[in-house]
PDB file of all heavy atoms in Angstrom:
ATOM      1  N   THR A 318     113.629  84.362  85.415  1.00 86.00           N
ATOM      2  CA  THR A 318     113.779  84.985  86.724  1.00 86.00           C
ATOM      3  C   THR A 318     114.151  83.886  87.712  1.00 86.00           C
ATOM      4  O   THR A 318     114.178  82.705  87.357  1.00 86.00           O
ATOM      5  CB  THR A 318     112.463  85.636  87.191  1.00 86.00           C
ATOM      6  OG1 THR A 318     111.545  84.610  87.555  1.00 86.00           O
ATOM      7  CG2 THR A 318     111.859  86.526  86.118  1.00 86.00           C
ATOM      8  N   LYS A 319     114.368  84.285  88.944  1.00 84.00           N
ATOM      9  CA  LYS A 319     114.664  83.257  89.953  1.00 84.00           C
ATOM     10  C   LYS A 319     113.452  82.367  90.212  1.00 84.00           C
ATOM     11  O   LYS A 319     113.583  81.268  90.715  1.00 84.00           O
ATOM     12  CB  LYS A 319     115.166  83.896  91.241  1.00 84.00           C
ATOM     13  CG  LYS A 319     114.164  84.789  91.921  1.00 84.00           C
ATOM     14  CD  LYS A 319     114.753  85.431  93.155  1.00 84.00           C
ATOM     15  CE  LYS A 319     113.721  86.345  93.803  1.00 84.00           C
ATOM     16  NZ  LYS A 319     114.231  86.967  95.003  1.00 84.00           N
ATOM     17  N   GLU A 320     112.264  82.835  89.827  1.00 81.00           N
ATOM     18  CA  GLU A 320     111.045  82.043  90.019  1.00 81.00           C
ATOM     19  C   GLU A 320     110.699  81.157  88.831  1.00 81.00           C
ATOM     20  O   GLU A 320     109.916  80.236  88.956  1.00 81.00           O
ATOM     21  CB  GLU A 320     109.845  82.954  90.310  1.00 81.00           C
ATOM     22  CG  GLU A 320     109.821  83.525  91.703  1.00 81.00           C
ATOM     23  CD  GLU A 320     110.675  84.783  91.841  1.00 81.00           C
ATOM     24  OE1 GLU A 320     111.056  85.365  90.805  1.00 81.00           O
ATOM     25  OE2 GLU A 320     110.958  85.174  92.972  1.00 81.00           O
ATOM     26  N   GLY A 321     111.241  81.460  87.663  1.00 81.00           N
ATOM     27  CA  GLY A 321     110.907  80.657  86.497  1.00 81.00           C
ATOM     28  C   GLY A 321     111.036  81.437  85.207  1.00 81.00           C
ATOM     29  O   GLY A 321     111.604  82.524  85.165  1.00 81.00           O
ATOM     30  N   VAL A 322     110.458  80.889  84.146  1.00 85.00           N
ATOM     31  CA  VAL A 322     110.536  81.463  82.808  1.00 85.00           C
ATOM     32  C   VAL A 322     109.305  82.325  82.557  1.00 85.00           C
ATOM     33  O   VAL A 322     108.174  81.880  82.754  1.00 85.00           O
ATOM     34  CB  VAL A 322     110.622  80.350  81.745  1.00 85.00           C
ATOM     35  CG1 VAL A 322     110.660  80.938  80.343  1.00 85.00           C
ATOM     36  CG2 VAL A 322     111.830  79.461  81.992  1.00 85.00           C
ATOM     37  N   ILE A 323     109.543  83.558  82.110  1.00 84.00           N
ATOM     38  CA  ILE A 323     108.416  84.431  81.773  1.00 84.00           C
ATOM     39  C   ILE A 323     107.701  83.839  80.571  1.00 84.00           C
ATOM     40  O   ILE A 323     108.323  83.477  79.575  1.00 84.00           O
ATOM     41  CB  ILE A 323     108.903  85.863  81.477  1.00 84.00           C
ATOM     42  CG1 ILE A 323     109.457  86.481  82.764  1.00 84.00           C
ATOM     43  CG2 ILE A 323     107.786  86.713  80.889  1.00 84.00           C
ATOM     44  CD1 ILE A 323     110.057  87.848  82.590  1.00 84.00           C
ATOM     45  N   GLY A 324     106.408  83.722  80.673  1.00 80.00           N
ATOM     46  CA  GLY A 324     105.601  83.145  79.598  1.00 80.00           C
ATOM     47  C   GLY A 324     105.251  81.684  79.812  1.00 80.00           C
ATOM     48  O   GLY A 324     104.400  81.151  79.115  1.00 80.00           O
ATOM     49  N   ALA A 325     105.907  81.032  80.763  1.00 77.00           N
ATOM     50  CA  ALA A 325     105.534  79.651  81.096  1.00 77.00           C
ATOM     51  C   ALA A 325     104.292  79.741  81.972  1.00 77.00           C
ATOM     52  O   ALA A 325     104.334  80.331  83.047  1.00 77.00           O
ATOM     53  CB  ALA A 325     106.671  78.949  81.824  1.00 77.00           C
ATOM     54  N   GLN A 326     103.200  79.206  81.524  1.00 66.00           N
ATOM     55  CA  GLN A 326     101.913  79.409  82.198  1.00 66.00           C
ATOM     56  C   GLN A 326     101.952  79.128  83.690  1.00 66.00           C
ATOM     57  O   GLN A 326     101.382  79.863  84.472  1.00 66.00           O
ATOM     58  CB  GLN A 326     100.841  78.564  81.523  1.00 66.00           C
ATOM     59  CG  GLN A 326     100.496  79.080  80.156  1.00 66.00           C
ATOM     60  CD  GLN A 326      99.421  78.253  79.489  1.00 66.00           C
ATOM     61  OE1 GLN A 326      99.037  77.187  79.969  1.00 66.00           O
ATOM     62  NE2 GLN A 326      98.926  78.743  78.374  1.00 66.00           N
ATOM     63  N   GLN A 327     102.628  78.085  84.090  1.00 63.00           N
ATOM     64  CA  GLN A 327     102.656  77.737  85.508  1.00 63.00           C
ATOM     65  C   GLN A 327     103.439  78.750  86.330  1.00 63.00           C
ATOM     66  O   GLN A 327     103.331  78.781  87.541  1.00 63.00           O
ATOM     67  CB  GLN A 327     103.194  76.315  85.730  1.00 63.00           C
ATOM     68  CG  GLN A 327     104.655  76.138  85.422  1.00 63.00           C
ATOM     69  CD  GLN A 327     104.933  75.805  83.966  1.00 63.00           C
ATOM     70  OE1 GLN A 327     104.111  76.014  83.087  1.00 63.00           O
ATOM     71  NE2 GLN A 327     106.111  75.300  83.703  1.00 63.00           N
ATOM     72  N   GLU A 328     104.239  79.601  85.673  1.00 58.00           N
ATOM     73  CA  GLU A 328     105.071  80.570  86.384  1.00 58.00           C
ATOM     74  C   GLU A 328     104.524  81.997  86.307  1.00 58.00           C
ATOM     75  O   GLU A 328     105.029  82.883  86.985  1.00 58.00           O
ATOM     76  CB  GLU A 328     106.491  80.566  85.796  1.00 58.00           C
ATOM     77  CG  GLU A 328     107.145  79.220  85.679  1.00 58.00           C
ATOM     78  CD  GLU A 328     107.442  78.555  87.004  1.00 58.00           C
ATOM     79  OE1 GLU A 328     107.431  79.236  88.036  1.00 58.00           O
ATOM     80  OE2 GLU A 328     107.660  77.342  87.011  1.00 58.00           O
ATOM     81  N   ASP A 329     103.507  82.259  85.488  1.00 61.00           N
ATOM     82  CA  ASP A 329     103.098  83.626  85.179  1.00 61.00           C
ATOM     83  C   ASP A 329     102.822  84.490  86.402  1.00 61.00           C
ATOM     84  O   ASP A 329     103.288  85.614  86.481  1.00 61.00           O
ATOM     85  CB  ASP A 329     101.887  83.649  84.247  1.00 61.00           C
ATOM     86  CG  ASP A 329     102.282  83.384  82.803  1.00 61.00           C
ATOM     87  OD1 ASP A 329     103.486  83.462  82.495  1.00 61.00           O
ATOM     88  OD2 ASP A 329     101.387  83.114  81.985  1.00 61.00           O
ATOM     89  N   GLU A 330     102.073  83.992  87.366  1.00 68.00           N
ATOM     90  CA  GLU A 330     101.764  84.847  88.513  1.00 68.00           C
ATOM     91  C   GLU A 330     102.974  85.057  89.415  1.00 68.00           C
ATOM     92  O   GLU A 330     103.061  86.059  90.112  1.00 68.00           O
ATOM     93  CB  GLU A 330     100.576  84.318  89.296  1.00 68.00           C
ATOM     94  CG  GLU A 330     100.768  82.931  89.881  1.00 68.00           C
ATOM     95  CD  GLU A 330      99.488  82.389  90.481  1.00 68.00           C
ATOM     96  OE1 GLU A 330      98.459  82.347  89.778  1.00 68.00           O
ATOM     97  OE2 GLU A 330      99.527  82.011  91.662  1.00 68.00           O
ATOM     98  N   LEU A 331     103.954  84.163  89.364  1.00 67.00           N
ATOM     99  CA  LEU A 331     105.165  84.315  90.170  1.00 67.00           C
ATOM    100  C   LEU A 331     106.116  85.357  89.591  1.00 67.00           C
ATOM    101  O   LEU A 331     106.922  85.928  90.319  1.00 67.00           O
ATOM    102  CB  LEU A 331     105.904  82.981  90.284  1.00 67.00           C
ATOM    103  CG  LEU A 331     105.158  81.849  90.997  1.00 67.00           C
ATOM    104  CD1 LEU A 331     105.970  80.565  90.906  1.00 67.00           C
ATOM    105  CD2 LEU A 331     104.894  82.210  92.445  1.00 67.00           C
ATOM    106  N   VAL A 332     106.048  85.593  88.303  1.00 75.00           N
ATOM    107  CA  VAL A 332     106.986  86.507  87.649  1.00 75.00           C
ATOM    108  C   VAL A 332     106.309  87.786  87.163  1.00 75.00           C
ATOM    109  O   VAL A 332     106.852  88.511  86.338  1.00 75.00           O
ATOM    110  CB  VAL A 332     107.719  85.809  86.478  1.00 75.00           C
ATOM    111  CG1 VAL A 332     108.565  84.649  86.995  1.00 75.00           C
ATOM    112  CG2 VAL A 332     106.760  85.348  85.413  1.00 75.00           C
ATOM    113  N   PHE A 333     105.155  88.109  87.705  1.00 80.00           N
ATOM    114  CA  PHE A 333     104.384  89.272  87.247  1.00 80.00           C
ATOM    115  C   PHE A 333     105.189  90.560  87.343  1.00 80.00           C
ATOM    116  O   PHE A 333     105.248  91.343  86.379  1.00 80.00           O
ATOM    117  CB  PHE A 333     103.082  89.392  88.052  1.00 80.00           C
ATOM    118  CG  PHE A 333     102.252  90.566  87.646  1.00 80.00           C
ATOM    119  CD1 PHE A 333     101.483  90.510  86.505  1.00 80.00           C
ATOM    120  CD2 PHE A 333     102.263  91.724  88.406  1.00 80.00           C
ATOM    121  CE1 PHE A 333     100.723  91.603  86.112  1.00 80.00           C
ATOM    122  CE2 PHE A 333     101.500  92.823  88.022  1.00 80.00           C
ATOM    123  CZ  PHE A 333     100.729  92.763  86.874  1.00 80.00           C
ATOM    124  N   ASP A 334     105.828  90.828  88.482  1.00 80.00           N
ATOM    125  CA  ASP A 334     106.582  92.074  88.665  1.00 80.00           C
ATOM    126  C   ASP A 334     107.719  92.200  87.656  1.00 80.00           C
ATOM    127  O   ASP A 334     107.947  93.272  87.095  1.00 80.00           O
ATOM    128  CB  ASP A 334     107.139  92.178  90.087  1.00 80.00           C
ATOM    129  CG  ASP A 334     106.042  92.362  91.119  1.00 80.00           C
ATOM    130  OD1 ASP A 334     104.920  92.734  90.739  1.00 80.00           O
ATOM    131  OD2 ASP A 334     106.322  92.137  92.315  1.00 80.00           O
ATOM    132  N   VAL A 335     108.418  91.112  87.410  1.00 83.00           N
ATOM    133  CA  VAL A 335     109.514  91.149  86.449  1.00 83.00           C
ATOM    134  C   VAL A 335     108.962  91.313  85.033  1.00 83.00           C
ATOM    135  O   VAL A 335     109.559  92.005  84.206  1.00 83.00           O
ATOM    136  CB  VAL A 335     110.406  89.903  86.570  1.00 83.00           C
ATOM    137  CG1 VAL A 335     111.512  89.920  85.537  1.00 83.00           C
ATOM    138  CG2 VAL A 335     111.003  89.809  87.968  1.00 83.00           C
ATOM    139  N   SER A 336     107.820  90.728  84.757  1.00 85.00           N
ATOM    140  CA  SER A 336     107.192  90.881  83.442  1.00 85.00           C
ATOM    141  C   SER A 336     106.856  92.345  83.171  1.00 85.00           C
ATOM    142  O   SER A 336     107.080  92.856  82.074  1.00 85.00           O
ATOM    143  CB  SER A 336     105.922  90.037  83.343  1.00 85.00           C
ATOM    144  OG  SER A 336     106.219  88.676  83.468  1.00 85.00           O
ATOM    145  N   ILE A 337     106.343  93.028  84.172  1.00 87.00           N
ATOM    146  CA  ILE A 337     106.027  94.454  84.032  1.00 87.00           C
ATOM    147  C   ILE A 337     107.310  95.254  83.827  1.00 87.00           C
ATOM    148  O   ILE A 337     107.383  96.141  82.963  1.00 87.00           O
ATOM    149  CB  ILE A 337     105.249  94.974  85.260  1.00 87.00           C
ATOM    150  CG1 ILE A 337     103.891  94.281  85.365  1.00 87.00           C
ATOM    151  CG2 ILE A 337     105.085  96.486  85.211  1.00 87.00           C
ATOM    152  CD1 ILE A 337     102.986  94.469  84.175  1.00 87.00           C
ATOM    153  N   ALA A 338     108.352  94.953  84.588  1.00 88.00           N
ATOM    154  CA  ALA A 338     109.637  95.649  84.432  1.00 88.00           C
ATOM    155  C   ALA A 338     110.217  95.408  83.041  1.00 88.00           C
ATOM    156  O   ALA A 338     110.764  96.328  82.422  1.00 88.00           O
ATOM    157  CB  ALA A 338     110.615  95.186  85.509  1.00 88.00           C
ATOM    158  N   LEU A 339     110.081  94.184  82.544  1.00 89.00           N
ATOM    159  CA  LEU A 339     110.558  93.854  81.207  1.00 89.00           C
ATOM    160  C   LEU A 339     109.813  94.686  80.164  1.00 89.00           C
ATOM    161  O   LEU A 339     110.429  95.272  79.267  1.00 89.00           O
ATOM    162  CB  LEU A 339     110.379  92.361  80.929  1.00 89.00           C
ATOM    163  CG  LEU A 339     110.678  91.877  79.518  1.00 89.00           C
ATOM    164  CD1 LEU A 339     112.131  92.150  79.145  1.00 89.00           C
ATOM    165  CD2 LEU A 339     110.358  90.393  79.390  1.00 89.00           C
TER     166      LEU A 339
END
Side-chain angles (χ1 to χ4, degrees):
T318 73
K319 63 182 179 179
E320 285 84 15
V322 178
I323 293 176
Q326 290 181 351
Q327 69 273 18
E328 309 294 344
D329 281 345
E330 61 188 54
L331 297 175
V332 297
F333 179 78
D334 292 342
V335 178
S336 297
I337 296 301
L339 173 61

